[in-house]
Amino acid sequence: MSESKRTVDEDTLEKLLYLSRLSPESTDMATLKKQVDEIVGYFDILSKYDDSENPYDAYPSTKVECLREDEVVQGLEIPDVKKVTDKFMDGYFQVPKVLGEGA
């Protein structure tokens, strides 16, 4: 690939065709070369952005010491669940209808 113009040369294009299992006979080479050159141009745009920071800094970290212990605890009994909400009947919670008409 030519570094000064950031375009794909014929040899690289042939190798891309081989890797993608496309045959030169089934593809308009001029159109394909133009499309590949446009894709390579997008990398120039992306390289302008600073990527030196750690991408994992965007996610919160969890310290092992702050996690709860793996203990089996007693769950809620049915009478206790009935005290929490009046939308509990016959062992199920009543929720709003989410399906539209005709479903």
Side-chain angles (χ1 to χ4, degrees):
M1 188 157 60
S2 172
E3 289 298 324
S4 61
K5 295 181 184 178
R6 302 294 279 183
T7 60
V8 176
D9 57 10
E10 295 298 322
D11 184 47
T12 306
L13 189 59
E14 290 293 328
K15 290 177 183 175
L16 286 173
L17 286 173
Y18 174 75
L19 290 173
S20 62
R21 303 295 191 249
L22 294 173
S23 64
E25 297 84 28
S26 67
T27 308
D28 179 25
M29 294 296 284
T31 304
L32 183 65
K33 182 171 179 354
K34 181 180 172 230
Q35 290 173 346
V36 172
D37 286 341
E38 288 176 3
I39 292 171
V40 171
Y42 292 135
F43 287 102
D44 288 334
I45 295 170
L46 291 174
S47 67
K48 293 178 185 176
Y49 294 99
D50 181 25
D51 63 346
S52 61
E53 68 181 43
N54 186 353
Y56 297 106
D57 289 343
Y59 304 103
S61 62
T62 304
K63 295 182 181 178
V64 176
E65 300 85 32
C66 297
L67 297 176
R68 69 170 193 247
E69 296 294 322
D70 289 331
E71 298 174 359
V72 177
V73 295
Q74 183 67 30
L76 292 176
E77 297 292 330
I78 297 297
D80 297 331
V81 174
K82 288 182 180 179
K83 291 178 189 176
V84 174
T85 181
D86 59 346
K87 304 289 184 187
F88 186 79
M89 186 184 335
D90 297 330
Y92 297 98
F93 287 98
Q94 182 183 2
V95 296
K97 185 177 179 180
V98 293
L99 297 176
E101 291 184 16

